[in-house]
Amino acid sequence: MIMRVAIAGAGNVGRSIAQELIENGHQVMLIERQPRMLRPERVPDAQWVLADACELTSLEEADLAGCDVVVAATGDDKANLVVSLLAKTEFAVPRVVARINRAENEWLFTEQWGVDVAVSKPRVMAALVEEAVTVGDLVRLMTFRQGEANLVEITLPPTAPHVGQPLRSVPLPRDAALVAILRGKRVLVPSPDDPIEAGDELIFVCTAEVEDAVRAVVLGPDSVERTRESR
């Protein structure tokens, strides 16, 4: 699924998130209020908008209502909260991801302010943009040990080949381990006799080299090629 993502704040964090999402095939709009920070050459494939993301009229002109996700990624927590609230209440954006700059402000970043997910690390922010709206693909959530292993997530569509079967029947490759199943509001510790269900979020730790093999096993042999074609 290709998403339209608006990112408020085109500093290092905003540009990092934008670049990663663009590489994953999504459409990205960067909104920046400071002219000196407007550097389209840094992320040439993004749409750049010079505007104040805390102003309702600016967001209307940027067509925020047409976005699937808004990321509040400025260096100012107050601004991020205002952007989040406007995105959710005025434009009904389905998913709002907000950056926390100061740990003491974390308690403010809640659903009451329109925030679906609050986080501080850009790499995790980019993954969380995709995670909740991506079904039937592998999403990389986190990298360990200088890139030797990754935490990845796959949300199972009803068409996945092993839906309804116990985990023991899923032939995972070497260097891949299923560490958790998220089912609704529950976190399940996997055991060989547990069946997997459509809508389950499977969390794996694996090396980058076997990610395509994990995708092929869990989603079907043609899923790797489908993913490459969609991107």
Side-chain angles (χ1 to χ4, degrees):
M1 173 184 172
I2 296 175
M3 296 181 293
R4 184 168 183 256
V5 182
I7 300 174
N12 290 334
V13 172
R15 293 197 307 270
S16 174
I17 299 166
Q19 190 59 54
E20 181 150 350
L21 293 174
I22 288 169
E23 289 174 0
N24 288 345
H26 302 297
Q27 300 171 358
V28 175
M29 172 173 59
L30 277 162
I31 304 173
E32 174 57 53
R33 67 182 181 88
Q34 299 185 48
R36 65 181 179 82
M37 296 296 293
L38 215 65
R39 299 175 179 176
E41 72 279 1
R42 296 285 185 93
V43 192
D45 292 326
Q47 175 189 356
W48 288 73
V49 176
L50 180 62
D52 187 343
C54 292
E55 292 184 357
L56 193 59
T57 53
S58 297
L59 299 179
E60 288 172 346
E61 291 173 4
D63 187 27
L64 210 72
C67 292
D68 301 293
V69 183
V70 165
V71 183
T74 79
D76 184 335
D77 283 344
K78 294 189 295 293
N80 289 342
L81 288 171
V82 171
V83 171
S84 299
L85 187 62
L86 290 175
K88 186 66 71 174
T89 59
E90 298 294 330
F91 299 97
V93 175
R95 186 162 179 82
V96 177
V97 179
R99 172 190 178 188
I100 303 172
N101 294 279
R102 299 177 67 86
E104 61 265 30
N105 294 331
E106 185 174 353
W107 65 277
L108 286 166
F109 286 75
T110 64
E111 291 182 1
Q112 282 72 29
W113 277 94
V115 178
D116 294 306
V117 179
V119 71
S120 57
K121 293 185 180 296
R123 166 77 235 204
V124 179
M125 289 181 77
L128 287 168
V129 168
E130 298 183 285
E131 181 267 333
V133 288
T134 303
V135 176
D137 194 12
L138 180 147
V139 176
R140 189 180 295 170
L141 298 176
M142 194 174 295
T143 299
F144 302 108
R145 300 182 63 183
Q146 290 78 48
E148 291 180 17
N150 298 313
L151 186 72
V152 303
E153 182 266 356
I154 298 176
T155 300
L156 287 182
T159 55
H162 297 286
V163 166
Q165 298 179 20
L167 285 171
R168 66 172 72 253
S169 67
V170 182
L172 289 176
R174 289 184 60 184
D175 298 324
L178 178 64
V179 295
I181 300 173
L182 308 184
R183 182 175 296 160
K185 295 183 177 181
R186 300 175 62 202
V187 178
L188 307 177
V189 178
S191 71
D193 294 324
D194 288 335
I196 53 177
E197 300 177 3
D200 281 355
E201 294 181 48
L202 307 184
I203 309 296
F204 298 90
V205 174
C206 64
T207 61
E209 289 76 16
V210 301
E211 283 183 3
D212 279 350
V214 171
R215 182 189 282 111
V217 167
V218 176
L219 297 173
D222 61 339
S223 62
V224 176
E225 193 60 37
R226 282 202 313 271
T227 298
R228 287 173 179 162
E229 288 173 357
S230 69
R231 293 177 179 174

